[in-house]
């Protein structure tokens, strides 16, 4: 069973996302927990969340991969921005309990001239304040392209954050194919080698989800511009090898390609046709 889906809009609520997923033959999806550019989160209607839970169980969905707002920067130099990041994540993790047992993915942050060492320290400090033993959500650090001073540009940086987080049993990693390609990991020429590196440095047991994207830029470009499947430098063949890789094929795959809903439906169909159960 291939678990595949895309980003869906939360604007019409939880049940609406579940219904839309079914319409496009998705059996997982991503959504922003609040406006990705920041601001307050809409209150959750418990009945609406219960309807989504029903859809997920009845249709054997894989884990959902919620996405934290882009404006969340746990390692900002400005303490006000760090406070927003901490409060938003704590609030999001409470809200995630409306659909328990899923994933919550976030961009580790940008250290903005403070250096990666301070970045690692500040991100793990935030996680140490926010993670709770009783939460049912696993928080995923996303692999980043290394644009500017982005943290998470290497497996080593993610490992260092995990090492300094006390409740690391609540942590995992979301591997973004566009980002690691742009970060210099050759998933086209040597997918096995990249996964061996991941296993040696982080451990494959931490790998919980994949953002499946093509890239507009060549290997190591550190740019982060997503392309449609088969229209970028990674290419359809390499992405088909990703979804079929024995170490990856059971994970939830989330498309973040530049598409409208019909484009996502077409990519899901294409990937299902090229998946070997
Ligand atoms: Fe992301
Ligand atoms: Fe991503
Ligand atoms: Zn990206």
């Amino acid at each position: 069973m291939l678990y595949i889906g895309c980003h869906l809009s939360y604007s019409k609520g939880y049940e609406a996302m579940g219904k839309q997923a079914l319409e496009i033959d998705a059996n997982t999806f991503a959504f922003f927990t609040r406006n990705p550019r920041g601001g307050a989160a809409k209150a959750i209607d418990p009945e609406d969340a219960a309807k989504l839970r029903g859809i997920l169980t009845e249709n054997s969905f894989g884990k959902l991969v919620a996405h934290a707002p882009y404006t969340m920067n746990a390692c900002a130099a400005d303490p006000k921005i760090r406070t927003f990041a901490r409060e938003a994540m704590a609030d999001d993790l409470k809200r995630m309990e409306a659909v328990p047992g899923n994933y919550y993915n976030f961009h580790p942050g940008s250290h903005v001239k403070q250096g990666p060492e301070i970045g690692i320290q500040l991100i793990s400090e935030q996680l140490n304040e926010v993670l709770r033993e009783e939460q049912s959500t696993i928080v995923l650090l996303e692999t980043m392209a290394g644009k500017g001073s982005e943290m998470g540009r290497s497996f080593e940086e993610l490992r260092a954050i995990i090492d300094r987080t006390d409740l690391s049993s609540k942590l995992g990693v979301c591997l973004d194919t566009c980002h690691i390609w742009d970060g210099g990991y050759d998933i086209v020429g040597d997918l096995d080698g990249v996964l061996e590196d991941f296993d040696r440095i982080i451990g494959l047991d931490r790998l919980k989800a994949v953002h499946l994207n093509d890239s507009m830029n060549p290997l190591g470009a550190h740019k982060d511009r997503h392309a449609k499947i088969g229209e970028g430098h990674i290419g359809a063949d390499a992405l088909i090898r990703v979804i079929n890789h024995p170490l990856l094929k059971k994970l939830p795959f989330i498309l973040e390609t530049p598409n409208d809903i019909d484009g996502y439906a077409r990519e899901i169909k294409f990937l299902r046709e090229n998946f070997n159960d």
Side-chain angles (χ1 to χ4, degrees):
M1 172 66 80
L2 174 64
Y3 294 106
I4 180 106
C6 61
H7 257 278
L8 294 177
S9 166
Y10 173 49
S11 61
K12 292 191 181 121
Y14 278 163
E15 186 192 18
M17 289 192 292
K19 285 183 170 166
Q20 188 161 44
L22 292 175
E23 277 167 22
I24 59 171
D25 200 18
N27 52 358
T28 175
F29 59 89
F31 59 100
F32 286 116
T33 50
R34 60 185 66 221
N35 183 331
R37 303 262 157 229
K42 238 171 45 179
I44 294 172
D45 169 0
E47 267 175 51
D48 183 36
K51 284 180 187 155
L52 173 61
R53 292 197 304 272
I55 292 175
L56 301 180
T57 327
E58 278 158 34
N59 297 280
S60 310
F61 270 52
K63 302 266 191 201
L64 307 185
V65 191
H67 202 302
Y70 293 141
T71 41
M72 184 184 274
N73 186 2
C75 60
D78 181 345
K80 284 203 285 282
I81 298 175
R82 294 205 301 272
T83 302
F84 165 76
R86 197 173 56 234
E87 289 173 354
M89 186 182 277
D91 184 45
D92 281 349
L93 289 175
K94 280 193 202 127
R95 294 156 55 81
M96 285 298 291
E97 295 301 323
V99 274
N102 288 296
Y103 298 139
Y104 173 79
N105 170 70
F106 79 110
H107 295 177
S110 291
H111 65 69
V112 242
K113 296 200 184 115
Q114 302 174 96
E117 177 53 34
I118 302 275
I120 291 163
Q121 192 53 36
L122 290 172
I123 295 160
S124 45
E125 274 171 23
Q126 167 165 329
L127 291 167
N128 284 333
E129 285 181 48
V130 164
L131 297 181
R132 295 281 176 267
E133 190 68 65
E134 62 272 19
Q135 73 184 57
S136 67
T137 304
I138 300 293
V139 174
L140 307 185
L141 297 152
E142 182 166 350
T143 60
M144 300 308 292
K147 195 173 62 177
S149 67
E150 253 174 12
M151 298 297 301
R153 62 197 291 141
S154 67
F155 297 158
E156 283 83 357
E157 280 186 359
L158 296 178
R159 172 61 197 261
I161 296 165
I162 294 167
D163 279 347
R164 289 191 214 175
T165 303
D166 302 327
L167 258 183
S168 62
S169 60
K170 302 295 181 188
L171 283 185
V173 172
C174 173
L175 187 139
D176 186 309
T177 55
C178 168
H179 295 176
I180 62 167
W181 168 259
D182 280 29
Y185 292 96
D186 185 5
I187 52 169
V188 176
D190 189 17
L191 178 59
D192 283 329
V194 172
L195 293 177
E196 275 163 31
D197 282 352
F198 189 101
D199 194 33
R200 181 171 36 82
I201 298 161
I202 302 178
L204 279 168
D205 53 328
R206 296 269 182 200
L207 182 51
K208 305 294 188 194
V210 175
H211 284 170
L212 195 74
N213 302 308
D214 212 326
S215 172
M216 287 192 185
N217 290 288
L219 178 68
H222 299 295
K223 284 271 182 28
D224 188 6
R225 294 198 54 210
H226 302 190
K228 292 181 188 179
I229 303 299
E231 294 187 11
H233 284 258
I234 300 175
D237 289 349
L239 292 168
I240 288 168
R241 288 197 296 274
V242 167
I243 60 169
N244 283 292
H245 196 286
L247 295 171
L248 305 175
K249 65 187 300 177
K250 293 198 169 72
L251 299 176
F253 293 94
I254 304 292
L255 296 161
E256 301 175 308
T257 46
N259 271 307
D260 55 15
I261 200 74
D262 295 333
Y264 281 131
R266 280 194 297 275
E267 286 188 345
I268 289 168
K269 182 166 184 283
F270 170 76
L271 292 161
R272 288 202 184 285
E273 284 166 358
N274 285 282
F275 182 74
N276 310 308
D277 250 315

